[in-house]
Amino acid sequence: TGPGVVGEQPLIPPGGTFQYTSACPLNTVNGLMEGTYEMLVVTEDEHQVTFPVKVARFGLDFMNRDVDIDVDEPSAIIS
C-alpha cells in the first residue's frame, strides 16, 4: 500500500504505458499475487478523479518457472 509503484508516481498520457520490475519476499517456492492500483486522472481544470485498475492474478516462483494459475483455487502448481 502507499502512493506510487516501485518508488515512482508516473504520469501516463492517454495511450501511454509504464513498465517496471519489482520483487517480493516469498516464504514458499511459489505463490500468487493479485490486487488493484488506484489511478488518478488530473484534468486541465485540476479536477481530480480516481478509479481502480484490477491487476489479474499471476504466479510467482523462486526458480522463475511457469506457475499454473487456477482462478477458482488459491493455490499454485509448478509446471
Side-chain angles (χ1 to χ4, degrees), residues 29-47:
V29 291
N30 61 28
L32 300 172
M33 188 175 283
E34 64 186 334
T36 59
Y37 282 115
E38 183 177 27
M39 305 301 270
L40 173 68
V41 176
V42 180
T43 63
E44 289 181 10
D45 62 0
E46 297 185 19
H47 181 74

Side-chain angles (χ1 to χ4, degrees), residues 61-75:
D61 183 73
F62 180 74
M63 301 298 289
N64 202 27
R65 297 171 289 190
D66 289 337
V67 177
D68 289 333
I69 300 170
D70 184 343
V71 294
D72 296 324
E73 293 294 326
S75 62

